[in-house]
Amino acid sequence: MKKFELIAPCHFGLEAVLKREIQDLGYEVSRVEDGRVTFLGDEEAVCRANVFLRTAERILIRVGSFHAESFEELFQGTRALEWENFLPENGKFWVAKAASVKSKLFSPSDIQSIMKKAIVERLKGIYRVNWFPEDGESFPIRVFLMKDEVTAALDTTGESLHKRGYRKLTAKAPIAENLAAALILLTPWKGDRILVDPFCGSGTFPIEAAMMAANMAPGMNREFTAEAWGHVVEKKCWYRAMDEAFDLVDDGVKTDIQGYDIDDSMVSIARENARLAGVDHLIHFQTRPVSQLSHPKKYGFVITNPPYGERLEDKKDLPPLYRTLGERFRLLDSWSLYLITSYENVEQDIGRKADKNRKIYNGMMKTYFYQFQGPRPPKPNREQKGRE
C-alpha cells in the first residue's frame, strides 16, 4: 500500500489537540508547526483521517518541498516535483490557495500562476502533449511558504472538514464545528457528564458534544474530493473507513446535554441542525436567558461561546451579560465553566480569575479560552460499584 506524508492544518493554538487525535488513530506524527500537524500514513490513513479527525481543517498529501527566494526558483522547484504520481492526463488541477509567511515571495496570485505553469510544463514532457483538456476529476493544490521553504500538497478533502453536513442554518457569529470540538477536547468533559451551553446559537457545542458521546465520526455523512482519485487511494479504502465509522456509533448512549438561547428562532435552528446530525434525541434545547442558567446536579460543565461585541450593536451590553453569567455560575455548586471570547474583562465580570487561559485564533480574530475549573467528582467506592 502506498505511503504518504500527510499534512493536517488546524486553528492556531490547537495543534496539541490535533496531534493527540492523530496519535489516537494510530499514526506517527513527524512534525508539529504553527497551524498544522504532519504525520505518516498509507491510503487508509487518508480516508480515516478525513472521516474521524474532529479538529483538522483538511487532509493534504505532501507532494514535495524546496527552497525558493525568486519566481524562477519557484518555477524550477515546482517543475522538479513528481506531479505525474498524482495528476492524470485529463485531471483538472489548480493552485487553490497559497500562503506565505516570512518569505521573499509573498503574492498569492503570482505564486499560484507560476506554479500552475510549472506543473503544466512538467506534465507536457511526461504525457507528451501540448494541451490538457482538464475535463477529469478535480485536484486542488495548496502551497505554504515559510521562511522561503515551499511545501506543495494535494487537498484530499475539498470543502473544509469543519463542514460536517449538519449545519444548514447558522447564528450571526457561529463557531466553526472543528473549533468547537477542539475546545470540548481541551476540557475533562466526557459523554456521561452534564454539559450546558447557555448561548447555544445554532447548537454547535451541544451537537459536537453529542456526536462525541455517541462516538459518531464527524465525516461519516459527507463526501471528499479524493474519493474520485482511484489511482491514488483505492475506493475500497473509503468503504472500509465508512464501515468502521458506522460500526462504532453508540446511538443509545444516555446523555445530559442542554442548549439554551434567548432567541426562540435560534433554538429552532439548533433543533433542526441536531436532527440533521442525528443527535436530536441526545440534546435538550430550550428558549431561556442566561439569567435562568441552573441545574439540580453537581459536577457539570458550562462550555460556551458567549457574545463578545461582534454580535451586539453596543458593547455596553457585555459587562452585565458576563456578570450575570458569573452570578449563575457561582450558584452551580462544583461546576466548571469554559468559554471562548475576545472580550477583555471576562475575569473581572465573572468575578474570578481563570485557572487557565489559552490564546486561540478564531479565523483572524484573537480570542481566549478561559477555563474556570471545578472540583473533580468523587470516585465511587467499591460498595457503590457493587450495587451498580
Side-chain angles (χ1 to χ4, degrees), residues 146-191:
M146 169 61 77
K147 296 180 179 177
D148 301 318
E149 287 298 313
V150 182
T151 299
L154 282 168
D155 178 9
T156 72
T157 303
E159 272 200 307
S160 172
L161 288 176
H162 83 266
K163 296 190 176 181
R164 320 293 205 206
Y166 67 74
R167 200 164 72 177
K168 304 301 182 185
L169 301 165
T170 64
K172 292 179 184 176
I175 189 166
E177 295 91 326
N178 59 343
L179 176 54
L183 296 180
I184 295 171
L185 290 172
L186 279 173
T187 78
W189 180 82
K190 301 297 180 189

Side-chain angles (χ1 to χ4, degrees), residues 22-42:
I22 292 168
Q23 290 173 330
D24 287 346
L25 273 183
Y27 301 114
E28 178 189 347
V29 171
S30 57
R31 199 159 55 252
V32 178
E33 302 163 278
D34 286 347
R36 66 183 189 264
V37 179
T38 302
F39 62 106
L40 307 175
D42 55 15

